[in-house]
Coordinates of all heavy atoms in Angstrom, one line a residue:
M21 N 10.3 17.1 4.3 CA 8.9 16.6 4.5 C 8.9 15.1 4.4 O 9.6 14.5 3.6 CB 8.0 17.2 3.5 CG 6.6 16.8 3.6 SD 5.6 17.6 2.3 CE 4.0 17.6 3.2
I22 N 8.2 14.5 5.3 CA 8.1 13.0 5.4 C 7.6 12.4 4.2 O 8.0 11.2 3.8 CB 7.4 12.6 6.7 CG1 7.5 11.1 6.9 CG2 5.9 12.9 6.5 CD1 8.8 10.7 7.6
L23 N 6.8 13.0 3.5 CA 6.2 12.5 2.2 C 7.2 12.3 1.2 O 7.0 11.6 0.2 CB 5.0 13.2 1.7 CG 3.8 13.3 2.7 CD1 2.6 14.1 2.1 CD2 3.3 11.9 3.2
D24 N 8.4 12.9 1.3 CA 9.4 12.9 0.3 C 10.0 11.4 0.2 O 10.6 11.1 -0.9 CB 10.5 13.8 0.6 CG 10.1 15.3 0.4 OD1 9.1 15.5 -0.3 OD2 10.7 16.2 0.9
S25 N 9.8 10.6 1.3 CA 10.4 9.3 1.3 C 9.4 8.3 0.8 O 9.7 7.1 0.6 CB 11.0 9.0 2.7 OG 9.8 9.0 3.6
A26 N 8.1 8.7 0.5 CA 7.2 7.7 0.0 C 7.5 7.4 -1.5 O 8.1 8.2 -2.3 CB 5.8 8.4 0.0
D27 N 7.0 6.2 -2.0 CA 7.3 5.7 -3.3 C 6.5 6.6 -4.3 O 6.9 7.0 -5.4 CB 7.0 4.3 -3.5 CG 8.0 3.4 -2.9 OD1 9.2 3.8 -2.8 OD2 7.7 2.3 -2.6
L28 N 5.2 6.9 -4.0 CA 4.3 7.6 -4.8 C 3.4 8.6 -4.0 O 2.8 8.1 -3.0 CB 3.4 6.7 -5.5 CG 2.4 7.1 -6.4 CD1 2.9 7.9 -7.6 CD2 1.4 6.0 -7.0
V29 N 3.4 9.8 -4.3 CA 2.5 10.8 -3.7 C 1.7 11.5 -4.7 O 2.3 12.1 -5.7 CB 3.3 11.9 -2.8 CG1 2.4 12.8 -2.3 CG2 4.1 11.2 -1.8
A30 N 0.4 11.4 -4.6 CA -0.5 12.0 -5.7 C -1.3 13.1 -5.0 O -2.1 12.9 -4.1 CB -1.4 10.9 -6.3
K31 N -1.1 14.3 -5.5 CA -1.7 15.5 -4.8 C -2.4 16.2 -6.0 O -2.0 16.4 -7.1 CB -0.7 16.4 -4.2 CG 0.1 16.0 -3.1 CD 1.0 17.1 -2.6 CE 1.8 16.7 -1.4 NZ 2.6 17.8 -0.9
K32 N -3.6 16.7 -5.6 CA -4.4 17.6 -6.4 C -5.1 18.6 -5.5 O -5.7 18.2 -4.5 CB -5.4 16.8 -7.2 CG -6.2 17.6 -8.2 CD -7.1 16.7 -9.1 CE -8.0 17.6 -10.0 NZ -8.9 16.7 -10.6
P33 N -4.9 19.8 -5.8 CA -5.6 20.9 -4.9 C -7.0 20.6 -4.7 O -7.7 20.3 -5.6 CB -5.4 22.2 -5.7 CG -4.1 21.9 -6.5 CD -4.2 20.5 -6.9
G34 N -7.4 20.7 -3.5 CA -8.8 20.5 -3.1 C -9.3 19.1 -2.9 O -10.4 18.8 -2.7
T35 N -8.3 18.1 -3.0 CA -8.7 16.7 -2.9 C -7.7 16.0 -1.9 O -6.8 16.6 -1.4 CB -8.6 15.9 -4.2 OG1 -7.3 15.9 -4.7 CG2 -9.5 16.5 -5.3
V36 N -8.1 14.7 -1.6 CA -7.2 13.9 -0.6 C -5.9 13.7 -1.2 O -5.8 13.4 -2.5 CB -8.0 12.7 -0.2 CG1 -7.1 11.8 0.6 CG2 -9.2 12.9 0.5
T37 N -4.8 13.7 -0.5 CA -3.5 13.3 -1.0 C -3.3 11.9 -0.8 O -3.7 11.4 0.3 CB -2.4 14.1 -0.3 OG1 -2.5 15.5 -0.4 CG2 -1.0 13.6 -0.6
N38 N -2.9 11.1 -1.7 CA -2.6 9.7 -1.6 C -1.1 9.5 -1.5 O -0.4 9.9 -2.3 CB -3.1 9.0 -2.9 CG -4.7 9.0 -2.9 OD1 -5.4 8.2 -2.2 ND2 -5.3 9.9 -3.7
V39 N -0.8 8.7 -0.5 CA 0.6 8.3 -0.3 C 0.7 6.8 -0.4 O 0.0 6.1 0.5 CB 1.1 8.8 1.2 CG1 2.5 8.4 1.4 CG2 1.0 10.3 1.2
I40 N 1.5 6.3 -1.4 CA 1.5 4.9 -1.7 C 2.8 4.3 -1.6 O 3.8 4.9 -2.1 CB 0.9 4.7 -3.1 CG1 -0.4 5.4 -3.4 CG2 0.8 3.1 -3.5 CD1 -1.5 5.1 -2.5
E41 N 2.9 3.3 -0.9 CA 4.2 2.4 -0.9 C 4.1 1.4 -1.9 O 3.1 0.6 -2.0 CB 4.4 1.8 0.6 CG 5.8 1.5 0.9 CD 6.7 2.5 0.7 OE1 6.6 3.8 1.1 OE2 7.8 2.3 0.2
V42 N 5.0 1.2 -2.8 CA 5.0 0.3 -3.9 C 6.0 -0.8 -3.8 O 7.1 -0.5 -3.4 CB 5.3 1.1 -5.2 CG1 5.2 0.2 -6.4 CG2 4.3 2.2 -5.5
E43 N 5.5 -2.0 -4.0 CA 6.4 -3.3 -3.9 C 6.2 -4.0 -5.3 O 5.2 -4.0 -5.7 CB 6.0 -4.1 -2.8 CG 6.6 -3.7 -1.4 CD 8.1 -3.6 -1.4 OE1 8.7 -4.4 -2.0 OE2 8.5 -2.7 -0.5
G44 N 7.3 -4.6 -5.7 CA 7.2 -5.4 -6.9 C 8.1 -6.5 -6.7 O 8.5 -6.9 -5.6
D45 N 8.3 -7.3 -7.8 CA 9.1 -8.5 -7.7 C 10.6 -8.0 -7.5 O 11.1 -7.1 -8.2 CB 9.0 -9.2 -9.0 CG 7.5 -9.9 -9.1 OD1 7.0 -10.3 -8.1 OD2 7.1 -10.0 -10.2
S46 N 11.2 -8.6 -6.5 CA 12.6 -8.3 -6.2 C 13.3 -9.6 -5.7 O 12.7 -10.6 -5.7 CB 12.6 -7.2 -5.2 OG 12.1 -7.6 -3.8
T47 N 14.5 -9.3 -5.2 CA 15.2 -10.5 -4.6 C 14.8 -10.8 -3.2 O 15.1 -11.9 -2.7 CB 16.7 -10.2 -4.6 OG1 17.0 -9.0 -3.9 CG2 17.2 -10.1 -6.1
K48 N 14.0 -9.9 -2.6 CA 13.5 -10.1 -1.2 C 12.4 -11.3 -1.3 O 11.8 -11.4 -2.3 CB 12.8 -8.8 -0.7 CG 13.6 -7.7 -0.4 CD 12.6 -6.7 0.3 CE 13.3 -5.3 0.1 NZ 12.3 -4.2 0.6
Q49 N 12.3 -11.9 -0.1 CA 11.2 -12.9 -0.1 C 10.0 -12.0 0.0 O 10.0 -10.9 0.4 CB 11.4 -13.7 1.2 CG 12.4 -14.7 1.2 CD 12.4 -15.6 2.5 OE1 11.7 -15.2 3.5 NE2 13.1 -16.6 2.4
M50 N 8.9 -12.6 -0.6 CA 7.7 -11.8 -0.8 C 7.2 -11.4 0.5 O 6.7 -10.2 0.7 CB 6.6 -12.6 -1.5 CG 5.4 -11.9 -1.9 SD 4.3 -12.8 -3.0 CE 5.4 -13.0 -4.4
E51 N 7.1 -12.2 1.5 CA 6.6 -11.8 2.9 C 7.4 -10.7 3.5 O 7.0 -9.7 4.0 CB 6.5 -13.0 3.8 CG 5.5 -14.0 3.5 CD 5.4 -15.1 4.5 OE1 6.4 -15.4 5.2 OE2 4.3 -15.7 4.6
Q52 N 8.8 -10.7 3.3 CA 9.6 -9.7 3.8 C 9.3 -8.4 3.0 O 9.3 -7.3 3.6 CB 11.0 -10.1 3.7 CG 11.4 -11.1 4.6 CD 11.2 -10.8 6.0 OE1 11.5 -9.8 6.5 NE2 10.7 -11.8 6.7
A53 N 9.1 -8.4 1.7 CA 8.8 -7.3 1.0 C 7.4 -6.7 1.5 O 7.4 -5.4 1.7 CB 8.6 -7.5 -0.5
L54 N 6.4 -7.5 1.8 CA 5.2 -6.9 2.3 C 5.4 -6.3 3.7 O 4.9 -5.3 3.9 CB 4.2 -8.1 2.3 CG 2.8 -7.7 2.9 CD1 2.2 -6.6 2.1 CD2 2.0 -8.9 3.1
Y55 N 6.1 -7.0 4.6 CA 6.4 -6.5 5.9 C 7.1 -5.1 5.8 O 6.7 -4.2 6.5 CB 7.2 -7.4 6.7 CG 6.6 -8.8 7.0 CD1 7.4 -9.9 7.3 CD2 5.2 -9.0 6.9 CE1 6.8 -11.1 7.5 CE2 4.7 -10.2 7.1 CZ 5.5 -11.3 7.4 OH 4.9 -12.5 7.7
S56 N 8.0 -5.1 4.9 CA 8.7 -3.8 4.7 C 7.8 -2.7 4.3 O 7.9 -1.6 4.8 CB 9.8 -4.0 3.6 OG 10.5 -2.8 3.3
A57 N 6.9 -3.0 3.2 CA 5.9 -2.1 2.7 C 5.0 -1.5 3.9 O 4.8 -0.4 4.0 CB 5.1 -2.6 1.6
I58 N 4.5 -2.5 4.7 CA 3.6 -2.1 5.8 C 4.4 -1.1 6.7 O 3.9 -0.1 7.2 CB 3.1 -3.3 6.5 CG1 2.2 -4.2 5.6 CG2 2.4 -3.0 7.8 CD1 1.9 -5.6 6.1
G59 N 5.6 -1.5 7.1 CA 6.4 -0.7 8.1 C 6.6 0.6 7.5 O 6.5 1.7 8.2
Q60 N 7.0 0.7 6.2 CA 7.3 2.0 5.6 C 6.1 2.8 5.5 O 6.2 4.1 5.9 CB 7.8 1.8 4.2 CG 9.2 1.3 4.2 CD 9.7 0.9 2.8 OE1 9.3 1.4 1.9 NE2 10.6 0.0 2.7
V61 N 4.9 2.3 5.2 CA 3.7 3.1 5.1 C 3.2 3.6 6.5 O 2.8 4.7 6.7 CB 2.6 2.5 4.3 CG1 1.8 1.4 5.0 CG2 1.6 3.5 3.8
V62 N 3.4 2.7 7.5 CA 3.1 3.2 8.9 C 4.0 4.3 9.4 O 3.5 5.3 9.9 CB 3.0 1.9 9.8 CG1 3.1 2.3 11.3 CG2 1.9 1.0 9.5
L63 N 5.2 4.2 9.1 CA 6.1 5.3 9.5 C 5.8 6.6 8.8 O 6.1 7.7 9.3 CB 7.5 4.9 9.2 CG 8.0 3.8 10.1 CD1 9.5 3.4 9.7 CD2 8.0 4.2 11.6
L64 N 5.1 6.6 7.5 CA 4.8 7.8 6.9 C 3.4 8.4 7.4 O 3.1 9.5 7.1 CB 4.5 7.5 5.4 CG 5.7 7.1 4.6 CD1 5.4 6.6 3.2 CD2 6.7 8.3 4.4
M65 N 2.7 7.6 8.2 CA 1.4 8.1 8.7 C 1.5 9.1 9.8 O 1.1 9.0 11.0 CB 0.6 6.9 9.3 CG 0.1 6.0 8.2 SD -0.8 4.6 8.9 CE -1.4 3.9 7.4
K66 N 2.2 10.2 9.4 CA 2.3 11.4 10.4 C 1.4 12.6 10.1 O 1.3 13.4 10.9 CB 3.8 11.9 10.4 CG 4.7 10.7 10.8 CD 6.1 11.2 11.1 CE 6.9 10.0 11.3 NZ 7.6 10.0 12.6
E67 N 0.8 12.5 8.9 CA -0.1 13.7 8.5 C -1.5 13.2 8.6 O -2.0 12.3 7.9 CB 0.3 14.2 7.1 CG 1.7 14.7 7.0 CD 2.0 15.4 5.7 OE1 1.0 15.7 5.0 OE2 3.0 15.9 5.6
A68 N -2.2 13.8 9.5 CA -3.7 13.5 9.6 C -4.5 14.4 8.7 O -4.0 15.3 8.1 CB -4.1 13.8 11.1
G69 N -5.7 14.0 8.6 CA -6.7 14.8 7.8 C -6.8 14.3 6.4 O -7.3 13.2 6.1
Q70 N -6.4 15.1 5.4 CA -6.6 14.9 4.0 C -5.6 14.0 3.4 O -5.2 14.3 2.3 CB -6.7 16.3 3.3 CG -7.9 17.1 3.7 CD -9.2 16.5 3.2 OE1 -9.2 15.6 2.4 NE2 -10.3 16.8 4.0
T71 N -5.1 13.0 4.0 CA -4.1 12.1 3.5 C -4.7 10.7 3.6 O -5.1 10.2 4.6 CB -2.8 12.2 4.2 OG1 -2.3 13.6 4.2 CG2 -1.7 11.4 3.5
R72 N -4.5 9.9 2.5 CA -4.9 8.5 2.5 C -3.7 7.8 2.1 O -2.9 8.1 1.3 CB -6.1 8.3 1.4 CG -6.5 7.0 1.3 CD -7.7 6.9 0.4 NE -7.7 7.9 -0.8 CZ -8.7 8.3 -1.5 NH1 -9.9 7.9 -1.2 NH2 -8.5 9.1 -2.5
Y73 N -3.5 6.5 2.8 CA -2.3 5.8 2.7 C -2.7 4.5 2.0 O -3.7 3.9 2.3 CB -1.6 5.5 4.1 CG -1.1 6.9 4.7 CD1 -2.1 7.6 5.5 CD2 0.1 7.3 4.4 CE1 -1.6 8.8 6.0 CE2 0.5 8.6 5.0 CZ -0.4 9.3 5.8 OH 0.1 10.5 6.3
G74 N -1.7 3.9 1.3 CA -1.8 2.5 0.7 C -0.6 1.9 0.3 O 0.5 2.4 0.4
I75 N -0.8 0.6 -0.1 CA 0.2 -0.2 -0.7 C -0.2 -0.7 -2.0 O -1.3 -1.1 -2.2 CB 0.5 -1.4 0.3 CG1 1.0 -0.9 1.6 CG2 1.4 -2.4 -0.3 CD1 1.1 -2.0 2.7
A76 N 0.7 -0.6 -3.0 CA 0.4 -1.2 -4.3 C 1.5 -2.3 -4.7 O 2.6 -2.1 -4.3 CB 0.5 0.1 -5.3
V77 N 0.9 -3.3 -5.2 CA 1.8 -4.5 -5.6 C 1.2 -5.0 -7.0 O 0.2 -4.6 -7.5 CB 1.7 -5.6 -4.6 CG1 2.1 -5.2 -3.2 CG2 0.3 -6.2 -4.5
P78 N 2.0 -5.8 -7.7 CA 1.6 -6.4 -9.0 C 0.3 -7.2 -8.8 O 0.1 -7.8 -7.8 CB 2.8 -7.3 -9.3 CG 4.0 -6.7 -8.6 CD 3.4 -6.3 -7.3
N79 N -0.4 -7.1 -9.9 CA -1.8 -7.8 -9.9 C -1.7 -9.3 -10.4 O -1.8 -9.5 -11.5 CB -2.7 -7.0 -10.8 CG -4.1 -7.6 -10.8 OD1 -4.4 -8.4 -9.9 ND2 -4.9 -7.1 -11.8
V80 N -1.0 -10.0 -9.5 CA -0.8 -11.5 -9.7 C -1.3 -12.2 -8.5 O -1.3 -11.7 -7.4 CB 0.7 -11.8 -10.0 CG1 1.0 -11.2 -11.4 CG2 1.6 -11.4 -8.9
P81 N -1.8 -13.4 -8.6 CA -2.3 -14.1 -7.5 C -1.5 -14.3 -6.3 O -1.9 -14.1 -5.1 CB -2.6 -15.6 -8.0 CG -2.8 -15.3 -9.5 CD -1.9 -14.2 -9.9
K82 N -0.1 -14.4 -6.4 CA 0.7 -14.6 -5.2 C 0.8 -13.3 -4.4 O 0.8 -13.3 -3.2 CB 2.1 -15.1 -5.6 CG 2.9 -14.1 -6.6 CD 4.3 -14.7 -7.0 CE 5.0 -13.7 -7.8 NZ 6.3 -14.2 -8.2
W83 N 0.7 -12.2 -5.1 CA 0.7 -10.9 -4.4 C -0.6 -10.6 -3.7 O -0.8 -10.1 -2.6 CB 1.2 -9.7 -5.3 CG 2.6 -9.4 -5.3 CD1 3.4 -9.6 -6.3 CD2 3.4 -9.0 -4.1 NE1 4.7 -9.4 -5.9 CE2 4.7 -9.0 -4.6 CE3 3.2 -8.6 -2.8 CZ2 5.7 -8.4 -3.8 CZ3 4.1 -8.1 -2.1 CH2 5.5 -8.1 -2.5
E84 N -1.7 -11.0 -4.4 CA -3.0 -10.9 -3.8 C -3.2 -11.8 -2.6 O -3.7 -11.3 -1.5 CB -4.1 -11.3 -4.8 CG -5.5 -11.0 -4.3 CD -6.6 -11.2 -5.4 OE1 -6.3 -11.4 -6.5 OE2 -7.8 -11.0 -5.0
R85 N -2.5 -12.9 -2.5 CA -2.6 -13.8 -1.3 C -1.8 -13.2 -0.2 O -2.2 -13.2 1.0 CB -2.1 -15.2 -1.6 CG -2.9 -16.1 -2.4 CD -2.4 -17.5 -2.6 NE -1.1 -17.6 -3.2 CZ -0.9 -17.8 -4.5 NH1 -1.9 -17.8 -5.3 NH2 0.3 -17.8 -5.1
Q86 N -0.7 -12.4 -0.5 CA 0.0 -11.8 0.5 C -0.7 -10.6 1.1 O -0.8 -10.4 2.3 CB 1.4 -11.2 0.0 CG 2.4 -12.3 -0.3 CD 2.8 -13.1 0.8 OE1 3.1 -12.6 1.9 NE2 2.8 -14.4 0.6
L87 N -1.4 -9.9 0.3 CA -2.1 -8.7 0.8 C -3.3 -9.2 1.6 O -3.7 -8.6 2.6 CB -2.7 -7.8 -0.3 CG -1.7 -7.0 -1.1 CD1 -2.5 -6.2 -2.2 CD2 -0.9 -6.1 -0.2
A88 N -3.9 -10.3 1.2 CA -5.0 -10.8 2.0 C -4.7 -11.3 3.5 O -5.6 -11.4 4.3 CB -5.7 -12.1 1.3
K89 N -3.4 -11.4 3.7 CA -2.9 -11.7 5.0 C -3.0 -10.5 5.9 O -3.0 -10.7 7.2 CB -1.4 -12.2 5.0 CG -1.2 -13.5 4.3 CD 0.3 -13.8 4.3 CE 0.6 -15.1 3.6 NZ 1.9 -15.4 3.5
I90 N -3.2 -9.4 5.5 CA -3.4 -8.1 6.4 C -4.8 -8.2 6.8 O -5.8 -8.1 6.0 CB -3.0 -6.9 5.6 CG1 -1.6 -6.9 5.1 CG2 -3.3 -5.6 6.6 CD1 -1.3 -5.7 4.2
P91 N -5.0 -8.3 8.1 CA -6.4 -8.5 8.6 C -7.3 -7.3 8.3 O -6.7 -6.1 8.3 CB -6.2 -8.6 10.2 CG -4.9 -9.0 10.3 CD -4.1 -8.5 9.2
T92 N -8.5 -7.4 7.9 CA -9.4 -6.4 7.6 C -9.5 -5.3 8.8 O -9.5 -4.1 8.5 CB -10.8 -6.8 7.3 OG1 -10.7 -7.8 6.2 CG2 -11.8 -5.8 7.0
Y93 N -9.5 -5.8 10.0 CA -9.5 -4.9 11.1 C -8.3 -4.0 11.1 O -8.5 -2.8 11.4 CB -9.4 -5.8 12.5 CG -9.3 -4.9 13.7 CD1 -10.4 -4.2 14.2 CD2 -8.1 -4.8 14.3 CE1 -10.2 -3.4 15.3 CE2 -7.9 -4.0 15.4 CZ -9.0 -3.4 16.0 OH -8.9 -2.5 17.0
V94 N -7.2 -4.4 10.8 CA -5.9 -3.6 10.9 C -6.1 -2.6 9.7 O -5.8 -1.4 9.9 CB -4.7 -4.5 10.7 CG1 -3.5 -3.6 10.5 CG2 -4.5 -5.3 11.9
R95 N -6.5 -3.1 8.6 CA -6.6 -2.1 7.3 C -7.6 -1.1 7.7 O -7.4 0.2 7.3 CB -7.1 -3.0 6.1 CG -6.1 -3.8 5.7 CD -6.4 -4.6 4.4 NE -7.6 -4.4 3.8 CZ -8.4 -5.3 3.1 NH1 -8.0 -6.6 3.1 NH2 -9.4 -4.9 2.5
N96 N -8.7 -1.4 8.4 CA -9.7 -0.4 8.7 C -9.2 0.6 9.7 O -9.4 1.8 9.7 CB -11.0 -1.1 9.2 CG -11.7 -1.8 8.1 OD1 -11.6 -1.6 6.9 ND2 -12.6 -2.7 8.6
Q97 N -8.5 0.1 10.8 CA -7.9 1.0 11.8 C -6.9 1.9 11.2 O -6.9 3.1 11.7 CB -7.3 0.1 13.0 CG -8.2 -0.7 13.8 CD -9.2 0.3 14.5 OE1 -8.7 1.2 15.2 NE2 -10.5 0.1 14.5
L98 N -6.2 1.6 10.2 CA -5.1 2.4 9.6 C -5.7 3.1 8.5 O -4.9 3.9 7.9 CB -3.9 1.5 9.2 CG -3.2 0.8 10.4 CD1 -2.0 -0.1 9.7 CD2 -2.6 1.9 11.3
S99 N -6.9 2.9 8.0 CA -7.4 3.4 6.8 C -6.5 3.1 5.6 O -6.1 4.1 4.9 CB -7.7 4.9 6.9 OG -8.7 5.1 7.9
L100 N -6.0 2.0 5.5 CA -5.0 1.5 4.6 C -5.6 1.0 3.4 O -6.4 -0.1 3.5 CB -4.0 0.4 5.3 CG -2.9 0.0 4.4 CD1 -1.9 1.1 4.1 CD2 -2.1 -1.2 5.2
A101 N -5.4 1.5 2.2 CA -5.9 1.0 1.0 C -4.8 0.0 0.4 O -3.6 0.2 0.4 CB -6.2 2.1 -0.1
L102 N -5.3 -1.0 -0.3 CA -4.5 -2.0 -0.9 C -4.9 -2.1 -2.4 O -6.0 -2.3 -2.8 CB -4.7 -3.4 -0.2 CG -4.3 -3.5 1.2 CD1 -4.7 -4.8 1.7 CD2 -2.9 -3.0 1.6
W103 N -3.8 -1.9 -3.3 CA -4.1 -1.9 -4.7 C -3.2 -3.0 -5.4 O -2.1 -3.3 -5.1 CB -3.8 -0.6 -5.4 CG -4.7 0.5 -5.1 CD1 -6.0 0.6 -5.6 CD2 -4.5 1.5 -4.2 NE1 -6.6 1.7 -5.0 CE2 -5.8 2.3 -4.2 CE3 -3.6 1.9 -3.4 CZ2 -5.8 3.5 -3.5 CZ3 -3.6 3.1 -2.6 CH2 -4.7 3.8 -2.7
L104 N -3.9 -3.7 -6.4 CA -3.2 -4.7 -7.3 C -3.1 -3.9 -8.6 O -4.1 -3.5 -9.2 CB -4.0 -6.0 -7.4 CG -4.1 -6.8 -6.0 CD1 -5.3 -7.6 -6.1 CD2 -2.8 -7.5 -5.8
V105 N -1.8 -3.8 -9.2 CA -1.6 -3.0 -10.4 C -1.1 -3.9 -11.4 O -0.1 -4.6 -11.4 CB -0.6 -1.8 -10.0 CG1 -0.3 -1.0 -11.3 CG2 -1.0 -1.1 -8.8
G106 N -1.9 -3.8 -12.6 CA -1.4 -4.5 -13.8 C -1.1 -3.5 -15.0 O -1.3 -2.3 -14.7
K107 N -0.8 -4.0 -16.1 CA -0.5 -3.2 -17.2 C -1.7 -2.3 -17.7 O -1.6 -1.3 -18.2 CB 0.1 -4.0 -18.4 CG 1.5 -4.4 -18.1 CD 2.1 -5.2 -19.3 CE 3.5 -5.6 -19.0 NZ 4.1 -6.3 -20.1
T108 N -2.8 -3.0 -17.5 CA -4.1 -2.3 -18.1 C -5.2 -2.1 -17.0 O -6.2 -1.6 -17.4 CB -4.7 -3.2 -19.2 OG1 -5.0 -4.5 -18.8 CG2 -3.7 -3.3 -20.4
Q109 N -4.8 -2.4 -15.7 CA -5.9 -2.3 -14.8 C -5.2 -2.1 -13.4 O -4.3 -2.6 -13.0 CB -6.6 -3.7 -14.7 CG -7.7 -3.8 -13.7 CD -8.4 -5.2 -13.7 OE1 -7.8 -6.1 -14.2 NE2 -9.4 -5.4 -12.8
V110 N -6.0 -1.3 -12.6 CA -5.7 -1.1 -11.3 C -7.0 -1.6 -10.4 O -8.0 -1.1 -10.7 CB -5.3 0.3 -10.8 CG1 -5.1 0.5 -9.3 CG2 -4.1 0.8 -11.6
R111 N -6.7 -2.5 -9.5 CA -7.8 -3.1 -8.8 C -7.6 -2.9 -7.3 O -6.5 -3.2 -6.7 CB -7.9 -4.5 -9.1 CG -9.1 -5.2 -8.5 CD -9.3 -6.6 -9.2 NE -8.2 -7.5 -9.1 CZ -8.0 -8.5 -8.2 NH1 -8.9 -8.7 -7.3 NH2 -6.9 -9.3 -8.2
K112 N -8.6 -2.2 -6.6 CA -8.5 -2.1 -5.1 C -9.0 -3.4 -4.4 O -10.1 -3.9 -4.8 CB -9.4 -0.9 -4.7 CG -9.2 -0.6 -3.3 CD -9.9 0.7 -3.0 CE -9.7 1.0 -1.5 NZ -10.5 2.3 -1.0
L113 N -8.2 -3.9 -3.6 CA -8.6 -5.1 -2.8 C -9.6 -4.6 -1.7 O -9.3 -3.7 -0.9 CB -7.4 -5.7 -2.1 CG -7.5 -7.1 -1.6 CD1 -7.9 -8.1 -2.7 CD2 -6.2 -7.6 -0.9
E114 N -10.7 -5.3 -1.6 CA -11.8 -5.0 -0.7 C -11.7 -5.9 0.5 O -11.2 -7.0 0.4 CB -13.1 -4.9 -1.3 CG -13.3 -3.9 -2.5 CD -13.1 -2.5 -2.1 OE1 -13.4 -2.2 -0.9 OE2 -12.8 -1.7 -2.8

């Protein structure tokens, strides 16, 4: 199944399945990591209906700036959710 290659899949009977691509600090350049995450999540978008897709990154200003580069129009067209994740908080980027 294609969802097996996702970083995080959250399923609960009777609700929407969330498929999340996760990026963190790595040796990759930040922009390259973001491009990689976008590409990976788009390739996972094969299941229509009750599936929601997203990208999660560390809740730090440099990652928030990177996510803000994704145009709202594109996020809306793809129904792509963006999350900033910290030790005590998960914040959805609007």
Side-chain angles (χ1 to χ4, degrees):
M21 180 179 204
I22 191 74
L23 297 182
D24 292 339
S25 62
D27 289 334
L28 177 65
V29 178
K31 293 183 178 184
K32 183 177 178 183
T35 65
V36 173
T37 298
N38 288 282
V39 178
I40 312 299
E41 203 50 47
V42 179
E43 281 297 330
D45 291 326
S46 71
T47 57
K48 292 183 200 174
Q49 288 184 349
M50 190 172 293
E51 285 183 340
Q52 292 301 317
L54 179 61
Y55 299 156
S56 175
I58 292 168
Q60 290 173 24
V61 79
V62 166
L63 292 174
L64 292 170
M65 291 181 171
K66 296 185 187 247
E67 294 192 9
Q70 294 293 339
T71 306
R72 186 171 31 201
Y73 297 90
I75 297 174
V77 299
N79 187 11
V80 294
K82 62 184 182 177
W83 272 110
E84 186 168 357
R85 285 190 299 274
Q86 290 299 314
L87 290 181
K89 292 178 181 179
I90 303 171
T92 302
Y93 171 79
V94 172
R95 291 178 13 209
N96 291 340
Q97 289 296 307
L98 297 175
S99 297
L100 182 64
L102 304 175
W103 287 286
L104 296 157
V105 180
K107 289 183 180 183
T108 61
Q109 176 186 12
V110 175
R111 185 166 55 99
K112 186 174 180 183
L113 191 65
E114 300 296 336

